[in-house]
Amino acid sequence: MKVTYHGHAVLSVVLDDGTRLLFDPYISQNPLADVSAEEIKTDYILVTHGHDDHISDMIPIAKQNNATIIGIAEVCKYAARKGIENIHPMNIGGGFDFPFGRVTLTHAQHSSGYEEDGQMIYMGEPAGILLQADGKTLYHAGDTADYSDLSLLGEQYEIDVAFLPIGDNFTMGPADALRAANRLKAKTVVPIHYNTFPQIKQDPQKFVAQLPNIGKVMNSGETIEV
Ligand code: NI
Ligand code: MN
């Protein structure tokens, strides 16, 4: 699989069979995005939780691509209310074998809600996402804090690449992300969710320097083969 980082928590994945996946589409308002929401082509949209910096372009991109939204039940129900027909609701601890591979939602210690017309809409529990495809395992941690049960993921899965937030303030910061990386035992760790806003300014090089041969900074627009 080929994985491209688009800044913040946005990833696009192209699998060996050509299937395209998009994680946490926050693009048009994302100052770090290297693409426009209009030019994104995807078959599936996978969302970790309902905060606006993860789903702000979910509905328009789903509509323009006729893409299927995969996520926690409440986020999918929200999408259905917005006219999206192709949804696949899931919940924490559940996995499903899609035609392209297996997706499992994991715990994330965070919150989830979406403000619309002055009202906070309940968006279910926040999640992390495990993707098993092309014989590889990718873990997108979502906006989680570090917590001890991440060790269970490290025991149960051989994670090839883990995308971990390091921004602090809204998620774990670099020191906690280092602890999380040690729990997960991923072969490659890529920092995400930093430098988008002033509150989450971090030095990703300083973070990966503490994970020799494992940590990798991806610039927005950069692609890696997993
Ligand atoms: Ni969030
Ligand atoms: Mn976030």
Side-chain angles (χ1 to χ4, degrees), residues 50-173:
H51 282 154
D52 59 351
D53 61 317
H54 297 259
I55 67 160
S56 62
D57 294 295
M58 172 178 78
I59 300 300
I61 291 176
K63 282 187 178 162
Q64 82 204 16
N65 287 273
N66 199 25
T68 298
I69 295 174
I70 300 171
I72 201 92
E74 289 81 358
V75 171
C76 287
K77 296 284 167 61
Y78 168 83
R81 286 200 302 278
K82 296 291 171 185
I84 304 299
E85 289 173 14
N86 301 325
I87 55 169
H88 187 107
M90 299 182 67
N91 218 313
I92 307 292
F96 187 80
D97 293 310
F98 291 87
F100 60 82
R102 185 169 177 83
V103 172
T104 305
L105 294 193
T106 71
H107 277 295
Q109 297 293 334
H110 190 58
S111 67
S112 185
Y114 190 74
E115 201 177 324
E116 202 166 63
D117 304 327
Q119 295 233 305
M120 187 58 80
I121 302 169
Y122 176 62
M123 287 295 223
E125 292 287 305
I129 297 175
L130 275 162
L131 166 67
Q132 293 167 289
D134 296 343
K136 302 286 182 181
T137 300
L138 177 156
Y139 172 59
H140 187 308
D143 273 3
T144 194
D146 177 39
Y147 65 102
S148 60
D149 279 4
L150 289 174
S151 305
L152 300 177
L153 295 182
E155 287 167 22
Q156 191 180 347
Y157 297 93
E158 286 211 8
I159 299 171
D160 292 285
V161 59
F163 292 86
L164 303 184
I166 66 160
D168 218 347
N169 193 76
F170 300 112
T171 68
M172 55 189 170

Side-chain angles (χ1 to χ4, degrees), residues 26 98 156 199 220:
Y26 166 67
F98 291 87
Q156 191 180 347
Q199 307 97 303
S220 184

Side-chain angles (χ1 to χ4, degrees), residues 206-217:
K206 206 171 139 195
F207 171 71
V208 299
Q210 297 170 87
L211 290 167
N213 304 317
I214 294 171
K216 165 146 185 64
V217 173

Side-chain angles (χ1 to χ4, degrees), residues 13 19 33 67 71 102 122 149 173 182 194 222:
V13 175
T19 303
R102 185 169 177 83
Y122 176 62
D149 279 4
N182 290 327
Y194 62 91
E222 190 175 340

Side-chain angles (χ1 to χ4, degrees), residues 13 20-22 40-45 61-62 65-68:
V13 175
R20 297 160 302 185
L21 315 175
L22 178 67
I40 291 274
K41 299 271 179 284
T42 195
D43 302 300
Y44 295 87
I45 300 171
I61 291 176
N65 287 273
N66 199 25
T68 298

